[in-house]
Amino acid sequence: MSSEKISKDMPMLPLRDVVMFPHMVAPLFVGRARSIKAIEEAENADKEIFLCTQMDASENEPKTEDIYSTGVIGTVAQMLRLPDGTVKVLVEGKKRGRIEQYIETSDFYKVRVSVIEESRGTESVEGDALRRSVLKAFEGYIKLNRKIPGEVFSTVSAIEDMGRLSDTVASHLNLKITDKQELLETGDPEERMKKLHEKMQEEVEILEIEKRIGKRVRRQMEKSQREYYLTEQMKAIQKELGEKDDMKSDVQEIEAKLKDKGLPKEVEERVKKELKKLKMMPSMSAEATVVRNYVDWIMDLPWTKEHTKDRLDIKEARSILEEDHYGLRDPKDRILEYLSVRTLTEKIRGPILCFVGPPGVGKTSLAKSIARSMGRKFVRVSLGGVRDESEIRGHRRTYIGALPGKIIQGMKKAGTINPVFLLDEIDKLGMDFRGDPASALLECLDPEQNSNFNDHYIEADYDLSKVLFIATANITHTIPWALQDRMEIIRIPGYTEDEKLHIAKKFLLGKQTKEHGLEDSLTGVADTALLEIIRRYTREAGVRTLEREIAKLCRKVARKVAETEGGKSRSKVRVTAKNIGGYLGVPKFKHGEIEEDDQIGAVTGLAWTEVGGELLTIEVTIVPGKGGFTVTGVKPEGENVMKESARAAMSYVRSRGAQLGLDRDFYQMVDIHIHAPEGATPKDGPSAGIAIVTAIVSALLKKPVRRDIAMTGEITLRGRVLPIGGLKEKILAAQRGKVKTVLLPQENEKDLEDVPAEVKKGVEIKLVEHMDKVLEEAIISDEPLLKSFVSPFEAKGAIGVSGTKMN
């Protein structure tokens, strides 16, 4: 237990952020005038001074209520005045004390202090265990806190007195002021030891956590420093070897190029922002690679400069087009018109041309010739099978492996903002859950919008207004109407026999002869031999199969030459119409061979297909029955169209039954089977109506149809013949089949002006307005086919509806 006795009055020194304990020696720096006066008073007297702590360290002139009442009576061991007016004093704590009364003085704090005498404490097993626990905890604290010298523990462990041990340990701990003051105010040594042990345990836990965090931070720092060191070593080695892979130098190089690149202001600011980020990233990080790729794409794209100038010499452009292609009058005229306008004005929006025609007619090669004639760079992108919208507009940079779309990739490849850009096979675009690529093309193909084309990867408006876009397609009905509306459709229907002969002589034969090394061996291929290949070994609108057959001919000739005396003495070979079969084998097609006899119920029609015009035979047979009719030989997607044509044809025949000399109920006693042996070939729209009527009438009347006549057109219920499309292709098909006469709708007369004279050569074209005229021209009869008018049959049976879309 402790007892108290009154001590004498003494000066007081308020302390900031320091709590003095008995037996504690500490240097203090004193700067306040009242505190210095208090030290001087103690120095002049018995050197005793009362040391107590302020509650608020920021208070410069603390009041009595701002100072703890419990403190330590100490002595001034040494005093030193410093040049700046402050005093350094060395004090030693002696005993605990408590302020009983403040004595008024004007120069310094003076208090009356009562001394707190501590009991020494009784020795016990519990006390000894407590002492050991405190020493053990203090030892762990010293190991974790490197600021305390190791020899301190040796000094502390030699202290036997519990009170002095607790005060000495507390003076070395880094505790809060309130915690230290609590220990100072605890008079009982054993109780003070318990509190000291608790607080020390808390501090040890905190220090252990700090140590773990410190180790983790150091490991990370060491790893980063090691990587940095190795990277710098690698850079130094690369520099010594002459390699330039320094990120900083790369960034500086890009910044130098940026000044001369002439980018739009918005794009330039974006690049500068990305370069700023790039400088702060480790060169080996994945994000740095993404940023670098993006900057490279921006820098490699042409933004404002035209690296090629248009060749505006119309005569030279015409000669180049004629040199590269034979025929194709309409596409050539359109390009020359465009160049003519460019000679008069610099401001013209690039036209969006779309060449539509069968395979092998030269759509892609024509686009290359256009680029050559204009002096522009050419770039091609194939759209066949594209189903993902991102392939057109690009991927956003948030995705791994993101890239710009095909449009921007093509512009980078071109290297100029005014190339000829070919969008090949635009009719074969797909669509699935990833979007509609055709819709993504709307923006870049619209002259009003493509000056601000936005790619998801580039994230900036790109000017496509100076690009000459050219698209190619085999058919138009698979191209969305919105996309068709933005393009100028130019049809390339196919080549005539005469055009194919010129193309084979001027282009294909020389190309294949050179590729097969036959310049000296193949002395020539007669025109009759080429015509034989065109007529009997190919049946197409273009010349792709023709080129393959000529290549096959060259291979056969090359083998013959190589086998002649081991190829040492090359023989001269000339191919004629007589020996062509020995090289190409048996002819694949008939040409100009029609049936010797005119047949009943069989009519030659004309159809448009993706590979050009085709002859289409319509057969009808009449069998006893109950008034039914069947349509066969048609693909499922064209079955409804064909059935509607058959219903309309049957209704017309019934309405003309009396004039044709048929019984009133003839249709109820027979079944009619309509068959199109070539009908499985996809065709564009209904055009077989008049052929079906003619075949039905021929079968009912048992009168033959002229085999040298072909027809195309659709009919109404009143027998009016409706116009058709694909006129040139169909006339070409008739020409190839050696058909003498072609029946066409009267309303197609205006379209005949666009058909070249060589296409119409050898074919008699007759225009018909009504089905009655068709029957008179096509069916062979000794007497007038349609008799005088008889009033129509009374209506019987159900009402039929045709000509509507089937869903």
Side-chain angles (χ1 to χ4, degrees), residues 204-352:
V204 168
E205 290 179 5
I206 294 173
L207 288 174
E208 286 177 346
I209 294 172
E210 289 180 352
K211 185 177 180 180
R212 287 198 299 271
I213 294 173
K215 284 183 178 180
R216 192 182 305 123
V217 172
R218 280 195 300 274
R219 281 198 302 269
Q220 292 174 352
M221 289 180 64
E222 288 171 0
K223 182 181 178 182
S224 300
Q225 289 173 351
R226 180 173 176 271
E227 290 178 353
Y228 175 78
Y229 176 72
L230 293 175
T231 303
E232 291 299 319
Q233 273 192 328
M234 185 173 63
K235 290 179 181 178
I237 293 171
Q238 288 171 342
K239 286 181 180 179
E240 290 296 326
L241 293 174
E243 299 179 6
K244 293 185 177 180
D245 191 27
D246 193 338
M247 177 66 76
K248 292 184 179 179
S249 63
D250 287 349
V251 173
Q252 291 172 358
E253 185 179 344
I254 294 173
E255 289 175 338
K257 289 182 180 179
L258 189 61
K259 297 178 181 178
D260 302 327
K261 184 68 176 176
L263 299 179
K265 186 176 180 180
E266 177 189 354
V267 179
E268 186 174 348
E269 292 298 324
R270 183 181 291 274
V271 173
K272 288 181 179 178
K273 183 178 178 182
E274 295 295 328
L275 288 176
K276 186 177 180 181
K277 289 165 55 180
L278 190 60
K279 289 179 181 178
M280 301 176 66
M281 296 178 185
S283 59
M284 309 300 287
S285 67
E287 189 177 357
T289 304
V290 173
V291 175
R292 177 61 189 273
N293 288 341
Y294 175 75
V295 172
D296 286 344
W297 269 103
I298 295 291
M299 296 298 294
D300 291 342
L301 277 176
W303 289 90
T304 55
K305 292 184 179 180
E306 298 181 13
H307 297 283
T308 57
K309 296 294 182 182
D310 285 349
R311 183 187 291 117
L312 300 179
D313 189 338
I314 306 301
K315 292 183 179 179
E316 185 179 357
R318 183 189 293 113
S319 65
I320 292 174
L321 291 174
E322 294 296 338
E323 179 184 341
D324 290 349
H325 286 272
Y326 183 85
L328 304 180
R329 185 186 64 187
D330 289 344
K332 292 177 181 178
D333 288 344
R334 181 63 186 85
I335 295 304
L336 294 175
E337 290 168 4
Y338 171 75
L339 292 177
S340 300
V341 176
R342 285 298 303 268
T343 59
L344 303 177
T345 177
E346 287 293 327
K347 296 181 180 179
I348 178 174
R349 294 187 182 275
I352 313 298

Side-chain angles (χ1 to χ4, degrees), residues 497-742:
E497 191 175 274
D498 185 58
E499 288 174 335
K500 287 183 179 180
L501 179 60
H502 279 83
I503 292 171
K505 290 169 61 179
K506 188 176 180 181
F507 301 101
L508 305 182
L509 188 58
K511 176 185 174 183
Q512 293 300 326
T513 301
K514 184 177 181 181
E515 288 183 359
H516 290 80
L518 298 174
E519 296 94 331
D520 300 327
S521 302
L522 185 61
T523 58
V525 179
D527 290 356
T528 54
L530 291 175
L531 282 174
E532 192 72 8
I533 297 175
I534 293 170
R535 291 171 176 174
R536 295 183 178 274
Y537 291 91
T538 66
R539 180 167 290 178
E540 58 175 344
V543 292
R544 192 167 290 163
T545 305
L546 176 60
E547 184 174 9
R548 284 196 290 266
E549 292 298 324
I550 292 176
K552 179 180 178 181
L553 172 64
C554 290
R555 290 195 301 272
K556 298 291 185 181
V557 172
R559 180 178 176 182
K560 181 178 180 180
V561 172
E563 290 176 348
T564 304
E565 298 181 8
K568 295 179 181 179
S569 175
R570 294 193 174 186
S571 59
K572 305 296 181 181
V573 178
R574 180 171 177 79
V575 180
T576 63
K578 292 182 179 180
N579 63 5
I580 189 69
Y583 294 102
L584 299 183
V586 179
K588 300 176 183 178
F589 305 102
K590 294 180 180 180
H591 180 77
E593 300 174 5
I594 58 177
E595 297 292 339
E596 295 181 359
D597 299 328
D598 301 315
Q599 295 187 7
I600 295 174
V603 178
T604 301
L606 294 171
W608 184 96
T609 70
E610 294 183 14
V611 295
E614 290 289 344
L615 295 179
L616 182 68
T617 302
I618 302 294
E619 295 180 343
V620 172
T621 184
I622 306 294
V623 296
K626 298 182 180 180
F629 74 93
T630 306
V631 178
T632 58
V634 186
K635 277 190 174 183
E637 56 267 24
E639 186 175 359
N640 290 331
V641 174
M642 202 69 170
K643 282 185 176 179
E644 288 187 2
S645 296
R647 288 192 185 99
M650 192 62 198
S651 296
Y652 169 78
V653 173
R654 288 174 58 185
S655 69
R656 286 289 190 269
Q659 291 175 275
L660 293 171
L662 300 172
D663 294 337
R664 170 186 293 229
D665 298 329
F666 75 93
Y667 59 92
Q668 295 180 351
M669 296 179 290
V670 295
D671 286 342
I672 301 176
H673 187 165
I674 303 170
H675 181 64
E678 302 290 338
T681 304
K683 59 183 189 303
D684 185 17
S687 59
I690 63 174
I692 294 174
V693 171
T694 303
I696 291 175
V697 172
S698 172
L700 289 172
L701 299 181
K702 294 180 173 56
K703 294 181 180 292
V705 180
R706 290 172 53 188
R707 295 298 296 168
D708 62 347
I709 194 169
M711 61 188 71
T712 179
E714 195 53 71
I715 66 164
T716 66
L717 294 177
R718 292 176 175 81
R720 187 166 68 88
V721 181
L722 300 178
I724 48 87
L727 194 62
K728 181 181 177 182
E729 292 92 332
K730 291 178 179 179
I731 296 177
L732 280 173
Q735 189 187 67
R736 288 196 297 268
K738 291 301 180 183
V739 172
K740 295 180 179 179
T741 306
V742 176

